[in-house]
PDB file of all heavy atoms in Angstrom:
ATOM      1  N   MET A 154       0.822  -1.215   0.000  1.00 91.00           N
ATOM      2  CA  MET A 154       0.000   0.000   0.000  1.00 91.00           C
ATOM      3  C   MET A 154       0.853   1.260   0.000  1.00 91.00           C
ATOM      4  O   MET A 154       0.547   2.236  -0.689  1.00 91.00           O
ATOM      5  CB  MET A 154      -0.955  -0.003   1.193  1.00 91.00           C
ATOM      6  CG  MET A 154      -2.038  -1.064   1.092  1.00 91.00           C
ATOM      7  SD  MET A 154      -2.949  -1.015  -0.481  1.00 91.00           S
ATOM      8  CE  MET A 154      -3.699   0.594  -0.397  1.00 91.00           C
ATOM      9  N   LEU A 155       1.964   1.246   0.750  1.00 92.00           N
ATOM     10  CA  LEU A 155       2.870   2.386   0.718  1.00 92.00           C
ATOM     11  C   LEU A 155       3.472   2.567  -0.671  1.00 92.00           C
ATOM     12  O   LEU A 155       3.717   3.684  -1.116  1.00 92.00           O
ATOM     13  CB  LEU A 155       3.997   2.195   1.733  1.00 92.00           C
ATOM     14  CG  LEU A 155       3.637   2.426   3.203  1.00 92.00           C
ATOM     15  CD1 LEU A 155       4.768   1.964   4.097  1.00 92.00           C
ATOM     16  CD2 LEU A 155       3.344   3.899   3.445  1.00 92.00           C
ATOM     17  N   GLY A 156       3.709   1.473  -1.329  1.00 93.00           N
ATOM     18  CA  GLY A 156       4.361   1.541  -2.630  1.00 93.00           C
ATOM     19  C   GLY A 156       3.457   1.942  -3.763  1.00 93.00           C
ATOM     20  O   GLY A 156       3.945   2.342  -4.833  1.00 93.00           O
ATOM     21  N   SER A 157       2.144   1.876  -3.572  1.00 92.00           N
ATOM     22  CA  SER A 157       1.234   2.093  -4.697  1.00 92.00           C
ATOM     23  C   SER A 157       0.253   3.246  -4.489  1.00 92.00           C
ATOM     24  O   SER A 157      -0.577   3.511  -5.358  1.00 92.00           O
ATOM     25  CB  SER A 157       0.436   0.814  -4.970  1.00 92.00           C
ATOM     26  OG  SER A 157      -0.303   0.417  -3.819  1.00 92.00           O
ATOM     27  N   THR A 158       0.345   3.960  -3.363  1.00 95.00           N
ATOM     28  CA  THR A 158      -0.568   5.056  -3.074  1.00 95.00           C
ATOM     29  C   THR A 158       0.018   6.373  -3.577  1.00 95.00           C
ATOM     30  O   THR A 158       1.187   6.664  -3.339  1.00 95.00           O
ATOM     31  CB  THR A 158      -0.828   5.146  -1.556  1.00 95.00           C
ATOM     32  OG1 THR A 158      -1.307   3.883  -1.093  1.00 95.00           O
ATOM     33  CG2 THR A 158      -1.854   6.220  -1.246  1.00 95.00           C
ATOM     34  N   LEU A 159      -0.795   7.182  -4.272  1.00 97.00           N
ATOM     35  CA  LEU A 159      -0.282   8.402  -4.898  1.00 97.00           C
ATOM     36  C   LEU A 159       0.278   9.388  -3.879  1.00 97.00           C
ATOM     37  O   LEU A 159       1.270  10.065  -4.140  1.00 97.00           O
ATOM     38  CB  LEU A 159      -1.382   9.071  -5.722  1.00 97.00           C
ATOM     39  CG  LEU A 159      -1.871   8.311  -6.965  1.00 97.00           C
ATOM     40  CD1 LEU A 159      -2.879   9.159  -7.734  1.00 97.00           C
ATOM     41  CD2 LEU A 159      -0.722   7.930  -7.875  1.00 97.00           C
ATOM     42  N   SER A 160      -0.345   9.511  -2.717  1.00 97.00           N
ATOM     43  CA  SER A 160       0.130  10.474  -1.725  1.00 97.00           C
ATOM     44  C   SER A 160       1.568  10.193  -1.306  1.00 97.00           C
ATOM     45  O   SER A 160       2.327  11.117  -0.983  1.00 97.00           O
ATOM     46  CB  SER A 160      -0.769  10.446  -0.492  1.00 97.00           C
ATOM     47  OG  SER A 160      -0.757   9.159   0.110  1.00 97.00           O
ATOM     48  N   ILE A 161       1.953   8.931  -1.327  1.00 98.00           N
ATOM     49  CA  ILE A 161       3.290   8.555  -0.874  1.00 98.00           C
ATOM     50  C   ILE A 161       4.367   9.053  -1.841  1.00 98.00           C
ATOM     51  O   ILE A 161       5.533   9.162  -1.475  1.00 98.00           O
ATOM     52  CB  ILE A 161       3.393   7.024  -0.687  1.00 98.00           C
ATOM     53  CG1 ILE A 161       2.308   6.546   0.281  1.00 98.00           C
ATOM     54  CG2 ILE A 161       4.753   6.607  -0.153  1.00 98.00           C
ATOM     55  CD1 ILE A 161       2.402   7.157   1.672  1.00 98.00           C
ATOM     56  N   ALA A 162       3.991   9.395  -3.075  1.00 98.00           N
ATOM     57  CA  ALA A 162       4.980   9.926  -4.020  1.00 98.00           C
ATOM     58  C   ALA A 162       5.642  11.183  -3.463  1.00 98.00           C
ATOM     59  O   ALA A 162       6.856  11.379  -3.605  1.00 98.00           O
ATOM     60  CB  ALA A 162       4.319  10.232  -5.362  1.00 98.00           C
ATOM     61  N   ALA A 163       4.849  12.042  -2.821  1.00 98.00           N
ATOM     62  CA  ALA A 163       5.413  13.230  -2.169  1.00 98.00           C
ATOM     63  C   ALA A 163       5.988  12.874  -0.804  1.00 98.00           C
ATOM     64  O   ALA A 163       7.082  13.308  -0.431  1.00 98.00           O
ATOM     65  CB  ALA A 163       4.340  14.304  -2.024  1.00 98.00           C
ATOM     66  N   ASN A 164       5.227  12.076  -0.046  1.00 98.00           N
ATOM     67  CA  ASN A 164       5.649  11.723   1.312  1.00 98.00           C
ATOM     68  C   ASN A 164       6.976  10.980   1.326  1.00 98.00           C
ATOM     69  O   ASN A 164       7.783  11.140   2.253  1.00 98.00           O
ATOM     70  CB  ASN A 164       4.589  10.869   1.995  1.00 98.00           C
ATOM     71  CG  ASN A 164       3.226  11.540   2.066  1.00 98.00           C
ATOM     72  OD1 ASN A 164       2.219  10.875   2.211  1.00 98.00           O
ATOM     73  ND2 ASN A 164       3.185  12.861   1.946  1.00 98.00           N
ATOM     74  N   ARG A 165       7.228  10.177   0.304  1.00 98.00           N
ATOM     75  CA  ARG A 165       8.473   9.413   0.238  1.00 98.00           C
ATOM     76  C   ARG A 165       9.674  10.358   0.136  1.00 98.00           C
ATOM     77  O   ARG A 165      10.717  10.124   0.759  1.00 98.00           O
ATOM     78  CB  ARG A 165       8.444   8.474  -0.973  1.00 98.00           C
ATOM     79  CG  ARG A 165       9.670   7.588  -1.136  1.00 98.00           C
ATOM     80  CD  ARG A 165       9.604   6.325  -0.343  1.00 98.00           C
ATOM     81  NE  ARG A 165       8.541   5.442  -0.787  1.00 98.00           N
ATOM     82  CZ  ARG A 165       8.315   4.232  -0.233  1.00 98.00           C
ATOM     83  NH1 ARG A 165       9.071   3.814   0.772  1.00 98.00           N
ATOM     84  NH2 ARG A 165       7.324   3.473  -0.667  1.00 98.00           N
ATOM     85  N   ILE A 166       9.537  11.410  -0.662  1.00 98.00           N
ATOM     86  CA  ILE A 166      10.625  12.396  -0.770  1.00 98.00           C
ATOM     87  C   ILE A 166      10.869  13.051   0.585  1.00 98.00           C
ATOM     88  O   ILE A 166      12.014  13.175   1.038  1.00 98.00           O
ATOM     89  CB  ILE A 166      10.273  13.457  -1.837  1.00 98.00           C
ATOM     90  CG1 ILE A 166      10.187  12.815  -3.224  1.00 98.00           C
ATOM     91  CG2 ILE A 166      11.308  14.585  -1.831  1.00 98.00           C
ATOM     92  CD1 ILE A 166       9.645  13.743  -4.294  1.00 98.00           C
ATOM     93  N   SER A 167       9.786  13.462   1.242  1.00 98.00           N
ATOM     94  CA  SER A 167       9.922  14.094   2.557  1.00 98.00           C
ATOM     95  C   SER A 167      10.571  13.148   3.555  1.00 98.00           C
ATOM     96  O   SER A 167      11.416  13.558   4.374  1.00 98.00           O
ATOM     97  CB  SER A 167       8.551  14.534   3.068  1.00 98.00           C
ATOM     98  OG  SER A 167       7.957  15.461   2.195  1.00 98.00           O
ATOM     99  N   TYR A 168      10.210  11.877   3.499  1.00 98.00           N
ATOM    100  CA  TYR A 168      10.745  10.893   4.430  1.00 98.00           C
ATOM    101  C   TYR A 168      12.234  10.629   4.186  1.00 98.00           C
ATOM    102  O   TYR A 168      13.055  10.689   5.103  1.00 98.00           O
ATOM    103  CB  TYR A 168       9.952   9.586   4.314  1.00 98.00           C
ATOM    104  CG  TYR A 168      10.541   8.443   5.107  1.00 98.00           C
ATOM    105  CD1 TYR A 168      10.316   8.353   6.477  1.00 98.00           C
ATOM    106  CD2 TYR A 168      11.313   7.473   4.485  1.00 98.00           C
ATOM    107  CE1 TYR A 168      10.865   7.303   7.212  1.00 98.00           C
ATOM    108  CE2 TYR A 168      11.869   6.432   5.208  1.00 98.00           C
ATOM    109  CZ  TYR A 168      11.642   6.352   6.574  1.00 98.00           C
ATOM    110  OH  TYR A 168      12.194   5.324   7.291  1.00 98.00           O
ATOM    111  N   VAL A 169      12.586  10.341   2.933  1.00 98.00           N
ATOM    112  CA  VAL A 169      13.970   9.983   2.621  1.00 98.00           C
ATOM    113  C   VAL A 169      14.927  11.136   2.913  1.00 98.00           C
ATOM    114  O   VAL A 169      16.022  10.939   3.452  1.00 98.00           O
ATOM    115  CB  VAL A 169      14.087   9.518   1.149  1.00 98.00           C
ATOM    116  CG1 VAL A 169      15.542   9.448   0.709  1.00 98.00           C
ATOM    117  CG2 VAL A 169      13.407   8.168   0.970  1.00 98.00           C
ATOM    118  N   PHE A 170      14.512  12.364   2.581  1.00 98.00           N
ATOM    119  CA  PHE A 170      15.385  13.518   2.781  1.00 98.00           C
ATOM    120  C   PHE A 170      15.123  14.233   4.112  1.00 98.00           C
ATOM    121  O   PHE A 170      15.763  15.236   4.404  1.00 98.00           O
ATOM    122  CB  PHE A 170      15.227  14.500   1.617  1.00 98.00           C
ATOM    123  CG  PHE A 170      15.721  13.965   0.308  1.00 98.00           C
ATOM    124  CD1 PHE A 170      14.867  13.313  -0.572  1.00 98.00           C
ATOM    125  CD2 PHE A 170      17.059  14.093  -0.060  1.00 98.00           C
ATOM    126  CE1 PHE A 170      15.325  12.810  -1.781  1.00 98.00           C
ATOM    127  CE2 PHE A 170      17.525  13.596  -1.264  1.00 98.00           C
ATOM    128  CZ  PHE A 170      16.660  12.948  -2.135  1.00 98.00           C
ATOM    129  N   ASP A 171      14.166  13.705   4.898  1.00 98.00           N
ATOM    130  CA  ASP A 171      13.807  14.275   6.198  1.00 98.00           C
ATOM    131  C   ASP A 171      13.421  15.741   6.067  1.00 98.00           C
ATOM    132  O   ASP A 171      13.921  16.621   6.770  1.00 98.00           O
ATOM    133  CB  ASP A 171      14.959  14.117   7.201  1.00 98.00           C
ATOM    134  CG  ASP A 171      14.520  14.415   8.637  1.00 98.00           C
ATOM    135  OD1 ASP A 171      13.305  14.436   8.886  1.00 98.00           O
ATOM    136  OD2 ASP A 171      15.414  14.645   9.491  1.00 98.00           O
ATOM    137  N   LEU A 172      12.478  16.014   5.160  1.00 98.00           N
ATOM    138  CA  LEU A 172      11.958  17.363   4.937  1.00 98.00           C
ATOM    139  C   LEU A 172      10.620  17.474   5.661  1.00 98.00           C
ATOM    140  O   LEU A 172       9.736  16.639   5.469  1.00 98.00           O
ATOM    141  CB  LEU A 172      11.792  17.626   3.442  1.00 98.00           C
ATOM    142  CG  LEU A 172      13.018  17.306   2.571  1.00 98.00           C
ATOM    143  CD1 LEU A 172      12.711  17.583   1.107  1.00 98.00           C
ATOM    144  CD2 LEU A 172      14.244  18.088   3.034  1.00 98.00           C
ATOM    145  N   ARG A 173      10.423  18.518   6.458  1.00 98.00           N
ATOM    146  CA  ARG A 173       9.319  18.534   7.403  1.00 98.00           C
ATOM    147  C   ARG A 173       8.255  19.596   7.134  1.00 98.00           C
ATOM    148  O   ARG A 173       7.431  19.891   7.995  1.00 98.00           O
ATOM    149  CB  ARG A 173       9.882  18.681   8.819  1.00 98.00           C
ATOM    150  CG  ARG A 173      10.866  17.561   9.142  1.00 98.00           C
ATOM    151  CD  ARG A 173      11.401  17.611  10.543  1.00 98.00           C
ATOM    152  NE  ARG A 173      12.391  16.546  10.760  1.00 98.00           N
ATOM    153  CZ  ARG A 173      13.000  16.323  11.937  1.00 98.00           C
ATOM    154  NH1 ARG A 173      12.721  17.095  12.976  1.00 98.00           N
ATOM    155  NH2 ARG A 173      13.878  15.347  12.041  1.00 98.00           N
ATOM    156  N   GLY A 174       8.260  20.169   5.929  1.00 98.00           N
ATOM    157  CA  GLY A 174       7.205  21.097   5.553  1.00 98.00           C
ATOM    158  C   GLY A 174       6.022  20.350   4.958  1.00 98.00           C
ATOM    159  O   GLY A 174       5.941  19.119   5.035  1.00 98.00           O
ATOM    160  N   PRO A 175       5.077  21.062   4.338  1.00 98.00           N
ATOM    161  CA  PRO A 175       3.943  20.404   3.674  1.00 98.00           C
ATOM    162  C   PRO A 175       4.437  19.362   2.672  1.00 98.00           C
ATOM    163  O   PRO A 175       5.438  19.582   1.982  1.00 98.00           O
ATOM    164  CB  PRO A 175       3.221  21.553   2.968  1.00 98.00           C
ATOM    165  CG  PRO A 175       3.630  22.778   3.723  1.00 98.00           C
ATOM    166  CD  PRO A 175       5.025  22.526   4.194  1.00 98.00           C
ATOM    167  N   SER A 176       3.737  18.235   2.601  1.00 98.00           N
ATOM    168  CA  SER A 176       4.126  17.150   1.686  1.00 98.00           C
ATOM    169  C   SER A 176       2.863  16.640   1.016  1.00 98.00           C
ATOM    170  O   SER A 176       2.098  15.873   1.600  1.00 98.00           O
ATOM    171  CB  SER A 176       4.819  16.030   2.466  1.00 98.00           C
ATOM    172  OG  SER A 176       5.282  15.013   1.598  1.00 98.00           O
ATOM    173  N   ILE A 177       2.641  17.085  -0.230  1.00 98.00           N
ATOM    174  CA  ILE A 177       1.327  16.921  -0.853  1.00 98.00           C
ATOM    175  C   ILE A 177       1.441  16.421  -2.294  1.00 98.00           C
ATOM    176  O   ILE A 177       2.205  16.967  -3.090  1.00 98.00           O
ATOM    177  CB  ILE A 177       0.565  18.259  -0.840  1.00 98.00           C
ATOM    178  CG1 ILE A 177       0.385  18.751   0.610  1.00 98.00           C
ATOM    179  CG2 ILE A 177      -0.789  18.136  -1.532  1.00 98.00           C
ATOM    180  CD1 ILE A 177      -0.182  20.154   0.713  1.00 98.00           C
ATOM    181  N   ALA A 178       0.669  15.401  -2.614  1.00 98.00           N
ATOM    182  CA  ALA A 178       0.515  14.954  -4.000  1.00 98.00           C
ATOM    183  C   ALA A 178      -0.690  15.672  -4.602  1.00 98.00           C
ATOM    184  O   ALA A 178      -1.736  15.777  -3.962  1.00 98.00           O
ATOM    185  CB  ALA A 178       0.322  13.446  -4.063  1.00 98.00           C
ATOM    186  N   VAL A 179      -0.540  16.153  -5.825  1.00 98.00           N
ATOM    187  CA  VAL A 179      -1.581  16.936  -6.494  1.00 98.00           C
ATOM    188  C   VAL A 179      -2.031  16.205  -7.751  1.00 98.00           C
ATOM    189  O   VAL A 179      -1.203  15.837  -8.588  1.00 98.00           O
ATOM    190  CB  VAL A 179      -1.053  18.340  -6.865  1.00 98.00           C
ATOM    191  CG1 VAL A 179      -2.101  19.117  -7.651  1.00 98.00           C
ATOM    192  CG2 VAL A 179      -0.636  19.106  -5.617  1.00 98.00           C
TER     193      VAL A 179
END
């Protein structure tokens, strides 16, 4: 589910690079 959900496309970048601002798939 983590691998196939569209929202995770943005969240994955925030997670890997530890970025803590808004993280949104559009």
Side-chain angles (χ1 to χ4, degrees):
M154 292 308 297
L155 284 170
S157 58
T158 304
L159 293 185
S160 61
I161 304 299
N164 302 158
R165 182 85 65 179
I166 295 171
S167 300
Y168 172 80
V169 167
F170 293 93
D171 193 16
L172 310 179
R173 303 183 183 182
S176 184
I177 301 172
V179 176

